[in-house]
Amino acid sequence: MALCGGVGAMALPSELIVHIFSFLSDRDKLRASAVCSRWRECLFYPALWTELKLRIGGGCDGSDETSKLEFLMRKFGSFVRELQLELAPVEGHLGPLNNEPPSARMEQPLGPDGDPQLSERWRDAMATYLDQVLCVFTSIRNNRNLQKLSLYGDTFILQQEGLLDSSNLHKIHQGDKKINEIQQLFMELLSNSRQLRWLSCGFMLGLVTPCSLACLSNPSAETLQHLSLLDHQLGPLISPSELDRLSNIHSLALDFSDFTSELCGLLASPRRTPLHRLALLLNGAALEFKPLEGTATEDDWKALVRVSANLRVYIMALEVDNSELLRVLKPSLPLERLHLDSYSTLVSDATLELISQQYNKTLTHFLLLRDGPDFPDLSVNRNEDPLVLLAWRCTQLAVLVIHGYTVWSHNLVAISRLRGSSLRVLTVSEESIDFDPDQSLYMEGDPVHNLVKEVSLGLSRVWHPCLDSSGVLSEPTQHFHRELQAFCVGM
C-alpha cells in the first residue's frame, strides 16, 4: 500500500484509516487487526462496530468458541447498537452416540428420577451455552445505545425430544446459579436500555421469564417497535399490562397459545400504533400444557383487522393435526405465510382446500414439509389436485415449497403454468415427484428431462427439482426465527 513520495500507509491520519476500514466485512476487519498495533487501534474504533452479527458454536471445542465470543463482547459489547447472535453450542454434540441411529436418542435409559440420563457431552454442551449467554449479558448489561437485540438459542432439539429443558439445568455444574444470574442480567439490560427498537428472544433456554418485560425502561417501552418472545417451555411471557405499555409495536412474534383473546383485544385499540406483522408459532407437542383455549376468536381477528388494515400474519405449525389447524385458521385472519411441518402428522386435502379458499387474496408463501418415510398422495379420490387448486386460487402466491407428499409431474407443470413467473420460488424435492405411467406411453424421451423443460417454460426461467432433501428440510424453529426477521421488516 504505497503512497506518493514513498510515504507509507502508517502516515495516514487515523480518521482516514477508519473510513477505509469501514468498507471491510467484519471478518476482514478482524483479520486486518492482526497487521499492527496502529491498525488494531483504528479497527476497534466504535464507529466501525455499530452492528454485530454472530453465530457461535457448531464445533466440538466449546471453550475456543467461548473465548472468541468473550473477546468480541469485551471489545464491542458496551457500545454496539445492533447485536444479532445465534448460539449453537449443541451442534457437534447432537451426533448419535456410538453411531446409533437418530431414533435411538429417544430411547436412552432413564435415571433414578425418571429423567433421561445426561451424558457428559450433553452436560458440556449446556454448560457451554450458559457460559456464552452469561458472557453476552455481562458485556451488554450497561449498554444504553443498544437499539436491536436478536438472540436465538439453538437448543430446541434438546427440549423437543425431552432430553433437556430448564428443569434439568440443576444437573449442570452451578446451573441454577448461572441461570439466575443470566435472568438478572437480562432484566438489568432492559432496565438500563434507553432506545431499544427491536427485541427478539427465540428459544433462549432459561432466559426470559414472565417478569422480564416489567423491567423494560419507560423510554424503551416507547421506542420498541418489534418484540419476539418464543419459548415452548413456559406459559405466557408477556402479560396484557406489559403489552399495553408497548403502544408503538409494529411487529410481534409469539407462541400461538400465548396470543390470547385479551392480547388481541389490546392490539385492536385505536389509540395504539396499528400492527403490521404478526408471526405465530404453533407447536403440536406443546398443546398438552399450552392449550388453545382462550386464544383469539374470529370476532377478535375482525376487530384487529379493522384497526390494523395492513396487518399480515405468518404461521408455522409443527406436528399439528388437522382438527387443531382448523381451529386456528380463522376466516378473518390475514394470512400471508403458512409453513406446515411434521414427521408423522398428515395434512389433509380438506385442510388445503380450506386454506386455498380462505386466503386466496393474501397467501404469498406456502411451505408443506413432512420428514416421514412415506409420501402420501393428497389427490387421491379427487378430480383436482389440492395443490393445483391452491396455485390457481391464491393469486398472490410467490413461494411454494413441497417435500414429503407425492406431487405428480403433470400437476407440477400445471402449477408452473398457472402462476408463471410470479411464482418466484418453486422448490420440490426430487423424491416427492412421481410420474404417471400412462403418460410415458405417448411421451418421448426421459420423463425427468421433459418435466424440467415444461416447468421451466411455465415459469419462464430455468428450473430443476431439489436433488438433496436437506436443501428443503431445515431445523424448523431456526427457519422460523430467520424468516420472521425478514417478514417483520416487510421483506
Side-chain angles (χ1 to χ4, degrees), residues 87 89 125-134 153 155 203-205:
L87 293 168
M126 290 315 301
T128 297
Y129 166 80
L130 293 177
D131 289 341
Q132 291 173 347
V133 177
L134 264 175
T155 59
F203 313 104
M204 295 294 295
L205 190 63

Side-chain angles (χ1 to χ4, degrees), residues 156 159-160 164-167 205 231-235 289-290:
F156 173 71
Q159 303 177 54
Q160 185 184 46
L164 194 63
D165 59 29
S166 55
S167 65
L205 190 63
D231 190 332
H232 292 312
Q233 297 298 310
L234 297 171
F289 52 91
K290 297 183 74 171

Side-chain angles (χ1 to χ4, degrees), residues 8-152:
M10 300 304 294
L12 291 174
S14 297
E15 292 80 2
L16 184 54
I17 295 177
V18 169
H19 179 70
I20 293 172
F21 287 157
S22 69
F23 296 97
L24 298 179
S25 67
D26 290 351
R27 185 179 296 274
D28 287 339
K29 289 174 191 173
L30 291 174
R31 288 173 177 169
S33 69
V35 172
C36 64
S37 59
R38 175 94 188 285
W39 280 27
R40 186 178 303 111
E41 179 182 348
C42 292
L43 277 161
F44 292 136
Y45 190 74
L48 292 177
W49 299 93
T50 58
E51 181 180 355
L52 198 58
K53 297 180 181 179
L54 301 171
R55 178 170 176 81
I56 302 297
C60 293
D61 190 354
S63 60
D64 183 53
E65 292 290 308
T66 302
S67 64
K68 292 178 183 178
L69 181 63
E70 288 174 347
F71 171 78
L72 293 171
M73 288 295 100
R74 186 172 63 252
K75 287 289 186 181
F76 317 123
S78 61
F79 58 78
V80 67
R81 293 188 178 183
E82 297 188 9
L83 176 60
Q84 298 184 53
L85 180 63
E86 291 188 7
L87 293 168
V90 296
E91 289 186 15
H93 297 269
L94 288 179
L97 302 179
N98 302 323
N99 296 318
E100 60 191 351
S103 59
R105 293 201 301 262
M106 301 292 291
E107 302 172 358
Q108 295 186 41
L110 299 181
D113 56 355
D115 292 332
Q117 291 180 341
L118 301 179
S119 70
E120 287 301 317
R121 297 171 69 198
W122 296 105
R123 294 176 190 271
D124 291 345
M126 290 315 301
T128 297
Y129 166 80
L130 293 177
D131 289 341
Q132 291 173 347
V133 177
L134 264 175
C135 167
V136 170
F137 283 104
T138 300
S139 301
I140 66 175
R141 62 197 291 184
N142 295 315
N143 186 339
R144 298 195 171 201
N145 296 317
L146 192 64
Q147 297 179 11
K148 180 174 182 177
L149 178 62
S150 177
L151 301 173
Y152 172 77

Side-chain angles (χ1 to χ4, degrees), residues 329-350:
L329 294 177
K330 308 294 186 184
S332 296
L333 189 157
L335 187 64
E336 181 181 277
R337 305 187 186 197
L338 180 60
H339 182 162
L340 305 179
D341 206 311
S342 67
Y343 179 79
S344 59
T345 305
L346 292 177
V347 174
S348 69
D349 57 337

